[in-house]
Amino acid sequence: MKSFHLSFYVLIALGALLLTACGAVATPPPVQPTIIIITPTPLSPPAGALPTPAAPTPAVTVASQYAPFCPSAASSSCTAPTIEERDRYCVKKVPYTLVAIPLNATYEVLSSGFSCEKQAVVNNEQILACTGKQLYTFDLKLCNSACAAPTAAAGGGQCPSGYVYNATQKCCAQANPDAGCVTVQVAIGGCTSP
């Protein structure tokens, strides 16, 4: 009977140990992360490695050497000219097409074998007589002369690279040689024999 009691006590001790161990497995409290901020300290160059400037140049003087930039609204008002065909006719079996362009427009024939010549100015329009191969079309480049950007050399260093000086508005405009230009096709008619 003693061995029964001893086994019983050992069993109770083991049970107590088991209960104690199960109670110790409780969820640990959450660990808050520790944030460490390291501020780097600038390294100073070794003595004599870099010469020190006599007087630092403020950044403002660099920006002030250029003219102010033109407002973007000024460039958006620059529109390409329009063209209107007025007539087609023949003179001694040579075909012509008359077109009207605005008075302030410039033109350039881009196709070989064709030409245009200013014939008249009527109601603030230039009348061009264009000729070339019968029943063909050619490319004509029209530009609004008010939109033409001055050349970079005309700026005299008043504007940074990629910009040109606009003397009218006294500001730097983005360089765009095709601002206010459009290429149109003009058709030449055919002449029939009499």
Side-chain angles (χ1 to χ4, degrees):
M1 182 100 179
K2 261 188 171 187
S3 71
F4 172 76
H5 285 291
L6 184 60
S7 298
F8 178 71
Y9 288 123
V10 169
L11 196 56
I12 290 178
L14 283 174
L17 279 173
L18 186 62
L19 286 175
T20 305
C22 287
V25 180
T27 307
V31 177
Q32 296 294 328
T34 304
I35 299 174
I36 299 173
I37 299 174
I38 299 174
T39 306
T41 56
L43 297 175
S44 57
L50 296 174
T52 54
T57 308
V60 175
T61 59
V62 173
S64 66
Q65 74 182 1
Y66 298 124
F69 290 101
C70 297
S72 58
S75 61
S76 65
S77 65
C78 185
T79 58
T82 58
I83 186 169
E84 182 182 328
E85 183 178 320
R86 294 288 172 90
D87 195 10
R88 291 185 191 180
Y89 61 93
C90 293
V91 175
K92 297 183 183 178
K93 297 186 183 179
V94 176
Y96 289 91
T97 299
L98 284 182
V99 293
I101 63 173
L103 188 59
N104 66 342
T106 60
Y107 63 93
E108 176 185 0
V109 176
L110 300 177
S111 303
S112 62
F114 296 90
S115 64
C116 290
E117 197 174 297
K118 184 164 86 171
Q119 296 295 305
V121 173
V122 179
N123 296 330
N124 288 328
E125 292 180 320
Q126 299 178 67
I127 306 300
L128 306 179
C130 301
T131 188
K133 281 184 169 183
Q134 293 187 50
L135 304 174
Y136 277 84
T137 60
F138 69 94
D139 291 331
L140 182 67
K141 182 177 180 179
L142 301 172
C143 293
N144 183 340
S145 62
C147 303
T151 61
Q158 295 174 340
C159 298
S161 177
Y163 288 84
V164 291
Y165 185 71
N166 183 329
T168 306
Q169 297 178 355
K170 296 182 173 40
C171 56
C172 293
Q174 193 164 9
N176 183 0
D178 287 331
C181 294
V182 65
T183 299
V184 296
Q185 289 193 328
V186 177
I188 300 293
C191 299
T192 57
S193 13

